[in-house]
Amino acid sequence: DRVFHVFNGLSPDFTPQPEERVASVLSSLGIDRPYLLFVGTVEPRKNISFLLDVFDALDSFDGLLVIAGMAGWKYEAIVEKMNTFRRSDSIKWIKYVNDSDLPSLYSGAECFVMPSFYEGFGFPPLEAMACGTPVVSSAGGSLAEVLGDAAIIVRNFDEDEWRTCLKKVITGSALRLQLREQGIKHAAQFQWETTARETLKILRSLPGKK
């Protein structure tokens, strides 16, 4: 009874970006093909090794897997796998992305993929939604609650099921449009002003507070 639930908000910078801006940012980052995107720290909790296995057998997609994020705790084995597995030439690891470029990186992706074991909130997939990018995500931690029905939630770590979901998003124009529209609408609910108002409301409800 002393625990209260308030969602975080998103920066208003995360919106679908103009095509010319996206093209400029992708060129500066050396991305020259369609790509799947993961954003987050490279560490075991993010389950990137599993994502590599899923991508390795996704032969129908002749594009890149872009991993954007700094090296974190116990990253070495993950990076070694990036460099040595069968489709290593289709992996692009971008360690740092300027805040001003991130909305364009999201906007240009075919799909945002979040296979994390656990997230306390999960900003990146929600940011991707706000930029109009379809999301395929695990249910780890808060992800299923935060993303709701506006993303494809995969509640296990079966490689074939993940590949099937990704193929549906990549090839299904109607599904992509549906996820884009639902994602933008859903992400718009996460406002920092709402976070502040809800927090203030809770503080004022405490005994002795006005």
Side-chain angles (χ1 to χ4, degrees):
D1 61 354
R2 298 179 64 189
V3 176
F4 301 90
H5 171 240
V6 179
F7 282 120
N8 287 312
L10 288 183
S11 166
D13 294 337
F14 293 106
T15 60
Q17 300 296 295
E19 290 185 9
E20 58 272 19
R21 171 62 179 164
V22 172
S24 175
V25 169
L26 297 188
S27 177
S28 71
L29 295 174
I31 300 173
D32 58 1
R33 284 187 277 166
Y35 61 98
L36 306 180
L37 177 64
F38 167 87
V39 173
T41 306
V42 177
E43 61 184 12
R45 176 172 62 88
K46 301 294 185 176
N47 205 17
I48 297 170
S49 181
F50 172 79
L51 176 56
L52 294 173
D53 290 335
V54 171
F55 180 72
D56 188 32
L58 194 64
D59 292 321
S60 59
F61 181 66
D62 186 26
L64 300 173
L65 172 60
V66 175
I67 297 172
M70 301 294 286
W73 177 68
K74 292 189 175 183
Y75 74 94
E76 294 88 353
I78 301 168
V79 175
E80 181 179 359
K81 186 169 183 175
M82 285 188 209
N83 294 332
T84 58
F85 90 127
R86 185 176 66 93
R87 296 184 68 183
S88 59
D89 59 340
S90 295
I91 300 295
K92 188 169 186 63
W93 181 24
I94 305 172
K95 296 180 182 179
Y96 177 77
V97 179
N98 290 324
D99 288 345
S100 60
D101 292 339
L102 192 53
S104 293
L105 182 63
Y106 282 130
S107 295
E110 298 294 306
C111 181
F112 182 87
V113 193
M114 175 58 83
S116 182
F117 287 121
Y118 181 85
E119 293 293 324
F121 181 72
F123 279 102
L126 201 58
E127 292 168 351
M129 280 184 175
C131 293
T133 300
V135 172
V136 174
S137 174
S138 71
S142 67
L143 288 170
E145 179 183 3
V146 169
L147 302 179
D149 295 331
I152 295 178
I153 304 295
V154 187
R155 297 184 180 274
N156 59 54
F157 294 106
D158 179 83
E159 291 179 22
D160 288 337
E161 185 168 349
W162 279 76
R163 277 190 287 271
T164 297
C165 291
L166 288 172
K167 287 177 183 178
K168 287 180 179 178
V169 172
I170 294 167
T171 61
S173 57
L175 177 60
R176 287 177 56 79
L177 180 60
Q178 176 186 341
L179 290 172
R180 172 184 170 83
E181 293 177 346
Q182 290 179 342
I184 292 173
K185 182 178 179 180
H186 182 74
Q189 301 175 72
F190 294 84
Q191 304 282 339
W192 282 118
E193 182 177 347
T194 302
T195 303
R197 289 183 184 278
E198 290 295 318
T199 302
L200 182 60
K201 180 180 177 181
I202 292 166
L203 294 175
R204 285 176 169 168
S205 72
L206 300 177
K209 303 296 181 182
K210 294 183 179 181

